[in-house]
Amino acid sequence: MRRIPTHQKSALLVLAFAAPTATAICSGFTFGIGNLQSIGNGVNSWTVFDNSCNAVDGLITGGNPCVQGIFGCSPAPIIFNVYTSTFSGTKYACRGDPGAETCGGVSISVCCI
């Protein structure tokens, strides 16, 4: 068995701890949409996160989010079933995912691919 010199052991240990440990908020999906966040005075927001929990898009409205153009909604029980990027116009299909995580304390309501 080959022995690893002490200085190499230290370097390997540092690399092991420096390796990224983040997990995807929606494994196998491209985006996750956070739950409704009340801003006040009847205004709500929904944030779209990428799988690294970066806020990449969203909607702030005092109206029905299903008719604002960024989200499509299912019949009752209502969930967002389509996300349309405000930057590219690309449409993504969305659905609930019991394995979805949270971003900055915001629960992910649906995952989109």
Side-chain angles (χ1 to χ4, degrees), residues 11-105:
L12 290 174
L13 187 60
V14 168
L15 287 175
F17 284 108
T21 58
T23 58
I25 60 166
C26 289
S27 186
F29 292 84
T30 307
F31 300 106
I33 301 172
N35 283 341
L36 174 146
Q37 300 293 301
S38 176
I39 294 175
N41 297 322
V43 178
N44 299 306
S45 73
W46 294 265
T47 304
V48 179
F49 297 96
D50 67 14
N51 258 328
S52 296
C53 274
N54 298 305
V56 295
D57 205 350
L59 175 68
I60 298 173
T61 184
N64 180 347
C66 298
V67 298
Q68 303 294 317
I70 184 173
F71 300 124
C73 295
S74 69
I78 296 172
I79 65 162
F80 295 136
N81 61 3
V82 174
Y83 157 59
T84 304
S85 169
T86 59
F87 302 101
S88 68
T90 304
K91 292 184 183 287
Y92 300 87
C94 305
R95 67 174 174 82
D97 180 2
E101 297 182 15
T102 63
C103 286

